[in-house]
Amino acid sequence: MTPVKVRNIIIGEGIPKICVPIVGVTSQEILAQAHSLLDVPVDVVEWRVDWFEGFSDLPQVLEVLRNLRGLLCDLPILMTFRTLKEGGEKAISQEDYLKLNLAAAQSGYVDLIDVELFMEDHIVSRIIQQAHNCGVKVIASNHDFQKTPPKKEILSRLCKMQSLGADISKIAVMPRDRKDVLTLLSATEEMAQKYATGPIITMSMSGMGVISRLSGEIFGSALTFGAVQKTSAPGQIPVADLRSSLELLHQNLSLPSSN
C-alpha cells in the first residue's frame, strides 16, 4: 500500500489520522466552526457542503472555500457533498454534483474531494481525472445507513473504488449486531493485507461500531472521523478522547510481545 501525502500529513502511515467535519448552515457558522479547530489536534478538516444553505450557488461555495483556506492555513481541506441517498442533508442532481466537484478541484483551495462510488461511473471517473489534473487527491466513498453488507460485497466496493482511480477508498456501514462489526473489521483487514494499493478508510457506525473508529492501526483503516461540536455521522466521538485512544493503542502495538 502506498501512503498518500496531503500537505504535511501522510495518510496510510503510522497512527490513523483524525478528520473533523464542519457542518455549519451559514458561511458565518462554517467559519466559526473552522476557527474553533485551530487549537484542536486534528489532521484533516472536512467541509460538508451539503449542510450549507448556499450549496447550489457555486460562487458562494468558492468564496467559503477561499475563506476556509485562508483561515486553516496548512491544514488539509477535504470537500464533501454527501448526497441525501447516502445520509447527507440534501439531494442534488448528478449534473450539479459534477459541476460542484469540478469547480472545487479547479479552485486551488481544497486538497481532497470526496466522490460517491454510486454516482454513474463516467461521472466518478471524470471527477477523479480532473482532480488529479489539478493536483487534488480523491476519496471514493460509500455509506450504508441501513445495514452491513456481506464481507465479499464490502471488498468488492473498495476494490472498485481503486479501479476507478481513487487515491483513498472509504466505506461506512451500519451494524445491526456485534457480528456486523466483526464483518467490517474482517473486511478491512483482508483489504489492507491483500488488495489495497492505497489507504483505506472503514467504519462501523453508531455506538456499537465505535471500536472500528479506534482500531484502525490494528486492522488497516488509515483515517477516522471525530467531533468537536456537531457530529456528521452516528458514532463519532470527541477528538480529545479519540486522540488519546489512538495514541494508547499505538504505544502498546510498539511494545515487545511477552507471555
Side-chain angles (χ1 to χ4, degrees):
M1 184 188 73
T2 303
V4 169
K5 185 174 182 181
V6 186
R7 294 186 179 265
N8 296 320
I9 300 298
I10 301 178
I11 301 171
E13 183 177 282
I15 298 177
K17 304 307 180 284
I18 295 175
C19 180
V20 172
I22 292 174
V23 290
V25 174
T26 67
S27 58
Q28 291 82 6
E29 290 176 357
I30 291 164
L31 293 177
Q33 288 183 28
H35 191 270
S36 73
L37 299 179
L38 297 179
D39 296 320
V40 177
V42 305
D43 301 302
V44 178
V45 175
E46 178 186 39
W47 179 32
R48 282 284 301 273
V49 184
D50 52 295
W51 284 72
F52 178 41
E53 62 184 7
F55 79 96
S56 61
D57 186 331
L58 278 180
Q60 281 194 59
V61 171
L62 293 175
E63 177 66 11
V64 172
L65 283 174
R66 184 183 70 82
N67 289 329
L68 285 173
R69 178 77 282 152
L71 180 61
L72 295 173
C73 299
D74 212 33
L75 266 176
I77 295 175
L78 162 64
M79 194 206 78
T80 298
F81 188 101
R82 183 67 60 236
T83 63
L84 192 62
K85 65 182 180 180
E86 294 218 8
E89 293 297 301
K90 298 177 180 69
I92 190 173
S93 70
Q94 295 210 37
E95 180 181 356
D96 287 340
Y97 184 87
L98 175 65
K99 290 178 180 177
L100 172 65
N101 281 284
L102 293 182
Q106 295 164 358
S107 70
Y109 302 135
V110 303
D111 305 289
L112 306 111
I113 56 174
D114 177 293
V115 180
E116 292 179 0
L117 174 66
F118 287 136
M119 288 286 166
E120 292 183 14
D121 283 1
H122 72 92
I123 288 179
V124 176
S125 296
R126 184 173 174 191
I127 292 172
I128 291 173
Q129 180 180 12
Q130 185 61 53
H132 287 166
N133 288 343
C134 298
V136 173
K137 304 296 185 183
V138 178
I139 299 175
S141 68
N142 172 236
H143 304 75
D144 192 329
F145 280 78
Q146 303 303 315
K147 65 184 182 307
T148 297
K151 178 179 176 180
K152 184 177 180 180
E153 178 62 20
I154 293 173
L155 291 170
S156 174
R157 293 179 191 181
L158 290 170
C159 287
K160 183 175 181 181
M161 294 171 193
Q162 288 188 164
S163 71
L164 290 170
D167 301 284
I168 301 171
S169 304
K170 173 193 173 188
I171 191 165
V173 297
M174 184 65 72
R176 293 178 175 175
D177 54 36
R178 294 173 185 175
K179 289 183 179 179
D180 280 348
V181 180
L182 292 175
T183 295
L184 183 280
L185 293 174
S186 179
T188 303
E189 190 276 338
E190 184 168 333
M191 183 70 190
Q193 292 297 318
K194 294 184 177 181
Y195 310 116
T197 56
I200 61 173
I201 302 169
T202 68
M203 65 208 68
S204 184
M205 294 183 282
S206 81
M208 189 182 297
V210 162
I211 185 64
S212 69
R213 298 180 181 274
L214 305 176
S215 59
E217 191 171 1
I218 298 172
F219 292 96
S221 181
L223 183 146
T224 188
F225 289 77
V228 172
Q229 297 177 6
K230 292 182 180 179
T231 63
S232 62
Q236 288 178 1
I237 60 178
V239 167
D241 295 338
L242 186 56
R243 177 69 69 183
S244 296
S245 298
L246 293 175
E247 291 179 350
L248 179 63
L249 280 172
H250 179 74
Q251 291 166 8
N252 281 275
L253 285 173
S254 303
L255 294 175
S257 60
S258 60
N259 293 328

